[in-house]
């Protein structure tokens, strides 16, 4: 497949981004089933929570030419999402690529594959997610394949350029601004109520009574 270059996605709505920085990401899991990367994608470097615009990159198993190109184009707050076509042996992201992203203000990188140079990446502070580490790296083979800002697959999820990437120690979520915009206020309300629920549990309350689950079970057996 020849190289495909898509347009730069639109900027994210600042008000939505601000709200997403405040929400507990697992709270969103109460409302969504799709968009969550499989648990094989985990945090390899960095500690900051990630909220950013997806810049999607499709590489081939051995060639990272497209990722090098993309690294020079990312904007502050972007999250580079790399589809390696299923390859988990060749690491496309190492110290040089991570440095390029960090110096341009990227919010993070998610690789559906491996990374390398993890000890050199750690001081950069760039959150990096992937399936593991490898000493076998990609090369600049200049293969006429791959793409930038096209739909890709990462962690079993189809990711579109301009999607929102949310990531923390629990995992990674990819979702459109429309999906997250529709539920963010409800999720924030849930977060605000949670301390009261925990306090009621501390005071001896039963979780099923507090959430209504016990009443539901009783209705099944009555």
């Amino acid at each position: 497949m020849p190289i495909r270059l898509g347009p730069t996605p639109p900027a994210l709505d600042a008000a939505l981004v601000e709200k997403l920085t405040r929400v507990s990401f697992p709270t969103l899991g109460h409302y969504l089933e799709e968009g969550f990367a499989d648990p094989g994608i985990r945090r390899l470097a960095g500690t900051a929570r990630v909220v950013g615009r997806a810049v999607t990159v499709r590489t081939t198993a051995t060639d990272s030419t497209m990722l090098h190109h993309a690294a020079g184009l990312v904007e502050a707050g972007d999250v580079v999402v790399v589809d390696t076509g299923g390859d988990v042996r060749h690491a496309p992201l190492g110290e040089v690529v991570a440095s390029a992203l960090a110096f341009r203000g990227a919010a993070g990188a998610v690789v559906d594959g491996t990374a390398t140079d993890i000890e050199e990446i750690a001081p950069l502070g760039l959150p990096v997610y992937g399936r593991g580490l490898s000493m076998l790296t990609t090369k600049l083979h200049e293969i006429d394949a791959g793409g930038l800002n096209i739909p890709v697959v990462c962690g079993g999820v189809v990711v579109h350029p301009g999607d929102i990437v949310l990531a923390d120690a629990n995992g990674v979520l990819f979702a459109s601004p429309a999906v997250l915009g529709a539920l963010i206020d409800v999720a924030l309300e849930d977060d605000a109520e949670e301390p009261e629920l925990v306090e009621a549990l501390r005071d001896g309350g039963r979780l099923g009574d507090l959430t209504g689950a016990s009443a539901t079970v009783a209705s099944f057996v009555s």
Side-chain angles (χ1 to χ4, degrees):
M1 179 182 293
I3 282 177
R4 296 169 55 200
L5 300 177
T8 301
L12 299 179
D13 177 71
L16 175 57
V17 170
E18 190 278 328
K19 290 181 178 180
L20 290 169
T21 63
R22 292 190 281 117
V23 75
S24 171
F25 296 160
T27 300
L28 301 172
H30 297 326
Y31 298 96
L32 297 173
E33 281 294 328
E34 299 180 348
F36 297 92
D38 72 63
I41 303 288
R42 60 188 187 279
R43 189 162 66 187
L44 304 175
T47 58
R49 297 199 326 154
V50 175
V51 179
R53 178 182 68 171
V55 171
T56 58
V57 179
R58 175 68 159 81
T59 65
T60 65
T62 62
D63 182 23
S64 55
T65 301
M66 184 57 67
L67 181 55
H68 280 225
H69 172 65
L73 301 176
V74 298
E75 300 176 9
D78 285 343
V79 181
V80 174
V81 180
V82 184
D83 177 351
T84 65
D87 180 79
V88 294
R89 297 185 66 236
H90 299 81
L93 188 146
E95 179 184 11
V96 172
V97 171
S99 295
L101 299 179
F103 297 158
R104 292 189 65 84
V110 184
V111 181
D112 197 350
T114 56
T116 194
D117 296 331
I118 201 64
E119 292 180 344
E120 290 78 13
I121 291 174
L124 296 171
L126 179 76
V128 174
Y129 290 74
R131 295 191 179 276
L133 303 173
S134 176
M135 290 191 293
L136 177 61
T137 69
T138 54
K139 288 80 174 173
L140 294 179
H141 287 316
E142 301 179 0
I143 297 174
D144 182 14
L148 171 63
N149 285 325
I150 62 172
V152 300
V153 177
C154 186
V157 178
V158 176
V159 185
H160 294 87
D163 280 351
I164 296 177
V165 184
L166 304 178
D168 64 9
N170 300 291
V172 182
L173 169 63
F174 307 104
S176 70
V179 166
L180 293 177
L183 61 83
I184 183 58
D185 289 334
V186 173
L188 286 171
E189 289 175 5
D190 277 2
D191 282 351
E193 295 170 357
E194 194 164 284
E196 182 177 342
L197 175 60
V198 172
E199 189 61 30
L201 292 169
R202 182 177 287 109
D203 291 340
R206 297 183 179 185
L207 182 60
D209 293 338
L210 296 170
T211 64
S214 294
T216 299
V217 171
S219 71
F220 292 153
V221 297
S222 61

